[in-house]
Amino acid sequence: MAAAVGSVATLAAEPGEDAFRKLFRFYRQSRPGTADLGAVIDFSAAHTARGTGPGARKVVKSQLSVSSVSDQDAHRAGLQPVSKWQAYGLQGYPGFIFIPNPFLPGYQWHWVKQCLKLYSQKPNVCNLDKHMSQEETQDLWEQSKELLRYKEVNKRRPRSLLEKLRWVTLGYHYNWDSKKYSADHYTPFPSDLAFLSEQVAAACGFQGFRAEAGILNYYRLDSTLGIHVDRSELDHSKPLLSFSFGQSAIFLLGGLKRDEAPTAMFMHSGDIMVMSGFSRLLNHAVPRVLPSPQGESLPCCLETPLPAVLPRDSVVQPCSEEDWQVCTRYLKTARVNMTVRQVLAADQDFPSEPVEENQRDLTLEGFCHLDDDSSQVKRMKLDPDS
């Protein structure tokens, strides 16, 4: 393990391209189950919490605001009581909070189903809109569910539209071309996701957080998320929340400049990250989605279905056997990530802009943000819904 940490540090210090890009390439080409991943922090591992193991010297316990979220409200969102959550930070990254899977058993399925079945519907915007009509992308779930249900039976079947989905935007729709939000391109933000986000933000000390924009990223096993900073929101004093479901991934958190070597960590299904304060505007990326060591299978925390009986006031909705089967087939080779942000301060409005700015194409793929395997990037830029 020490050798792995040393080799990563040596690589980052070598002359040439910036340190972040070097480590991005290293982890993109990494081999699961080998020393390549020896320097990656695993917050869900007990030895990390005890302060031993690779990277653990950077790990510190984070304090949560337990009294800010009632046990009832946590349960309504499908979360354990905040008093049972574990929360960690990293030395040198003030404002960064990592919460290993705080969801109640089975409750992740609601959020997976919403990302695939509900949030992907119109009027929300997705990458497929660039080359398909609104009628063709009207209900991706209905057009895809039978193909996904029988995925294991027919290996040679064509890919479903859900498998071609790369991103969906919610609330204030992010403009991949101008890198801005605007008041005139907005659809109501999902109330259940807003409630979940408000509880997590409050537990992390951000009472009054308003979920105004969301970007959902849909990863295949060969997908990456390029190096970037989330700076388009007009109010940077509020946190960015990230929810991960499905296959595990490697997340890199760097500095204000790309010549600062990033810290690598695993993101497992159910994990939540909060980036606020100094960490809100740091470079970050996802160089690798990790296939399950058992082949096409689900993480252990997803083996339990959503309970049949839910609290009466829960924002979580029942998941039918058919829906569960479709989601299961999808997640065996995929990962879904929800990022939620507050765009405006309480008394803030969007600045006035020239009319032509608001009329620019709002559905560009922006593959510098979410790419498929590097061998396909050139082709994918030309044909983003392939």
Side-chain angles (χ1 to χ4, degrees):
M1 293 295 185
V5 175
S7 64
V8 168
T10 301
L11 176 65
E14 290 179 353
E17 61 184 348
D18 63 75
F20 202 128
R21 175 60 62 181
K22 290 175 190 171
L23 292 183
F24 183 95
R25 292 183 185 277
F26 173 80
Y27 284 115
R28 187 178 64 190
Q29 299 166 3
S30 61
R31 297 161 297 168
T34 70
D36 288 355
L37 305 185
V40 183
I41 296 173
D42 191 345
F43 288 100
S44 64
H47 68 261
T48 299
R50 291 198 300 268
T52 62
R57 62 182 178 80
K58 293 184 177 181
V59 177
V60 296
K61 292 282 286 187
S62 290
Q63 296 298 315
L64 296 173
S65 181
V66 176
S67 61
S68 296
V69 180
S70 68
D71 290 355
Q72 180 182 2
D73 281 344
H75 198 170
R76 287 182 62 200
L79 299 165
Q80 300 179 50
V82 177
S83 59
K84 295 185 178 181
W85 298 7
Q86 298 295 320
Y88 303 99
L90 292 170
Q91 292 179 4
Y93 295 97
F96 176 78
I97 303 173
F98 194 106
I99 305 170
N101 185 16
F103 289 91
L104 291 164
Y107 279 76
Q108 289 185 50
W109 284 114
H110 169 79
W111 303 107
V112 173
K113 183 191 71 172
Q114 296 297 81
C115 288
L116 295 177
K117 186 176 182 177
L118 183 64
Y119 301 158
S120 62
Q121 291 189 19
K122 296 303 167 212
N124 295 329
V125 180
C126 73
N127 63 288
L128 300 179
D129 297 334
K130 180 62 178 175
H131 294 291
M132 300 177 69
S133 67
Q134 184 166 326
E135 291 72 24
E136 291 175 305
T137 60
Q138 189 62 38
D139 196 333
L140 303 182
W141 175 271
E142 284 299 319
Q143 296 185 63
S144 303
K145 65 180 184 181
E146 292 306 311
L147 284 171
L148 282 168
R149 284 183 70 193
Y150 299 107
K151 177 180 178 180
E152 295 179 355
V153 177
N154 183 7
K155 298 285 187 179
R156 301 180 65 180
R157 62 170 180 78
R159 283 195 302 164
S160 65
L161 289 179
L162 279 178
E163 291 171 296
K164 296 179 181 181
L165 192 62
R166 293 295 176 265
W167 55 260
V168 168
T169 54
L170 310 172
Y172 288 115
H173 295 284
Y174 185 68
N175 184 325
W176 300 98
D177 188 21
S178 67
K179 304 289 190 283
K180 295 180 180 180
Y181 300 95
S182 62
D184 61 353
H185 199 61
Y186 174 84
T187 55
F189 194 91
S191 59
D192 56 348
L193 181 53
F195 184 79
L196 170 69
S197 302
E198 290 161 4
Q199 308 318 304
V200 172
C204 294
F206 295 95
Q207 288 83 4
F209 174 84
R210 300 196 316 272
E212 295 179 326
I215 298 178
L216 315 180
N217 282 327
Y218 301 79
Y219 295 77
R220 311 308 299 171
L221 293 179
D222 60 357
S223 297
T224 65
L225 181 70
I227 306 168
H228 68 286
V229 175
D230 291 287
R231 59 165 60 92
S232 297
E233 294 73 32
L234 301 184
D235 181 12
H236 294 154
S237 68
K238 299 299 187 293
L240 183 149
L241 312 180
S242 174
F243 303 85
S244 185
F245 304 108
Q247 301 301 316
S248 298
I250 297 173
F251 180 80
L252 299 180
L253 181 62
L256 295 172
K257 299 180 179 179
R258 292 192 183 186
D259 57 4
E260 299 179 50
T263 297
M265 62 201 79
F266 290 112
M267 286 194 299
H268 301 303
S269 191
D271 289 350
I272 300 173
M273 289 193 308
V274 178
M275 297 173 67
S276 66
F278 172 79
S279 295
R280 178 67 174 75
L281 296 175
L282 297 182
N283 284 285
H284 54 280
V286 178
R288 188 84 156 88
V289 177
L290 300 168
S292 170
Q294 289 76 40
E296 292 190 8
S297 61
L298 293 173
C300 293
C301 63
L302 289 174
E303 292 177 351
T304 304
L306 184 67
V309 179
L310 301 170
R312 182 176 301 176
D313 58 351
S314 176
V315 301
V316 175
Q317 301 172 356
C319 183
S320 69
E321 179 68 21
E322 178 187 275
D323 288 354
W324 186 75
Q325 288 177 358
V326 175
C327 292
T328 296
R329 295 287 190 272
Y330 180 89
L331 275 194
K332 284 185 176 181
T333 57
R335 170 179 178 263
V336 178
N337 181 254
M338 309 187 301
T339 57
V340 179
R341 324 87 199 287
Q342 179 171 329
V343 177
L344 300 168
D347 56 351
Q348 191 175 23
D349 293 317
F350 286 101
S352 58
E353 295 182 355
V355 174
E356 59 268 20
E357 176 66 31
N358 289 331
Q359 291 179 339
R360 299 177 75 178
D361 186 357
L362 294 169
T363 60
L364 287 180
E365 175 73 27
F367 268 87
C368 60
H369 189 72
L370 182 61
D371 290 330
D372 285 288
D373 184 79
S374 58
S375 63
Q376 302 179 22
V377 169
K378 186 173 182 180
R379 174 177 63 82
M380 293 293 285
K381 284 182 178 177
L382 298 174
D383 189 10
D385 64 338
S386 63

